[in-house]
Amino acid sequence: MTGGRAAFRAVVLDVDSTLCGLEGVDWLARRRGPALADEVAALTTRAMAGELALDAVYGRRLARIRPSAVEVAALADAYRECLAPGAAAVLARLRAAGVALHLVSGGLREAILPLARSLDFAPAEVHAVGVRFDEAGAYAGFDEGSPLTTQEGKRAVIGALGLAAPVLAVGDGATDLAMRPVVAAVAAFTGFIRRDAVVRAADLELPSFDDLLRLVLP
């Protein structure tokens, strides 16, 4: 790197299959046995490929799984264990260079926050879907009003932040492509999974976080 000016002033990152090598809801479904795991994984795959609107499957998946507070805490541990190679160092370099960083995810906020804190994200820089539990820790629903439960929700969330341009969005799924009207470029992250339809529609492809660093700090 030359150490020159950053090519982007802000980077918006997806979490599942981008920052971390797992799909959180699918991970929770596997705790319910192979039949439900296969059902939920198929819905996730179709939504991320753009074959189904996220709106149509978000609540349906959680209603079938009904994750407890203990299980969501275990998912938080799994996120930290599946962090993308080099991600922590790259994010630290970008932050030190003055690049604004935000996480935007349709995943569960309570599972993502511990990971985010370990990477020095402030709570206000983490945008995800809240989940509720009763006094016994049993599942009691999710934030149905969150835009991030919808196909176009990431665009609404990022557009409302007023980030300094140019902004780069990085993610692996169709919901990330929805951010294009409010960012300078959308990069398809393929370090964990390559969704061909997403790669074709994106502005560029990033196979790793080292590639992200070279792009943002050329």
Side-chain angles (χ1 to χ4, degrees):
M1 292 182 299
T2 64
R5 183 175 180 178
F8 295 92
R9 296 180 67 184
V11 175
V12 176
L13 287 161
D14 181 35
V15 176
D16 294 29
S17 296
T18 298
L19 183 60
C20 300
L22 59 77
E23 290 287 338
V25 173
D26 293 3
W27 186 94
L28 290 167
R30 288 197 292 273
R31 301 173 76 92
R32 299 289 182 267
L36 185 57
D38 289 347
E39 175 189 330
V40 169
L43 292 173
T44 300
T45 297
R46 294 183 67 190
M48 292 303 99
E51 297 172 7
L52 281 176
L54 185 63
D55 320 41
V57 304
Y58 198 95
R60 177 179 167 187
R61 294 181 305 169
L62 286 179
R64 296 281 283 128
I65 301 167
R66 300 187 64 81
S68 68
V70 169
E71 290 168 327
V72 170
L75 173 58
D77 291 337
Y79 272 128
R80 290 195 293 271
E81 293 168 3
C82 294
L83 185 66
V90 168
L91 294 178
R93 290 284 296 275
L94 294 178
R95 192 175 281 113
V99 177
L101 300 173
H102 285 259
L103 300 180
V104 56
S105 171
L108 302 181
R109 181 175 175 84
E110 286 70 17
I112 292 172
L113 275 174
L115 167 71
R117 284 194 293 267
S118 73
L119 296 171
D120 293 327
F121 283 90
E125 296 168 334
V126 181
H127 314 278
V129 181
V131 62
R132 301 187 301 275
F133 308 101
D134 64 18
E135 293 181 357
Y139 177 73
F142 66 96
D143 179 7
E144 297 182 15
S146 171
L148 295 170
T149 65
T150 70
Q151 194 72 13
E152 305 293 326
K154 291 186 176 184
R155 177 174 64 194
V157 169
I158 298 308
L161 290 178
L163 298 174
V167 179
L168 173 68
V170 182
D172 66 288
T175 54
D176 301 299
L177 296 173
M179 288 186 276
R180 178 176 280 114
V182 294
V183 300
V186 176
F189 186 80
T190 55
F192 292 113
I193 185 169
R194 181 185 176 89
R195 307 184 198 276
D196 289 339
V198 175
V199 173
R200 288 193 298 269
D203 298 297
L204 62 152
E205 177 181 350
L206 292 176
S208 71
F209 271 77
D210 286 341
D211 291 303
L212 171 62
L213 182 63
R214 286 188 286 268
L215 173 66
V216 179
L217 298 180

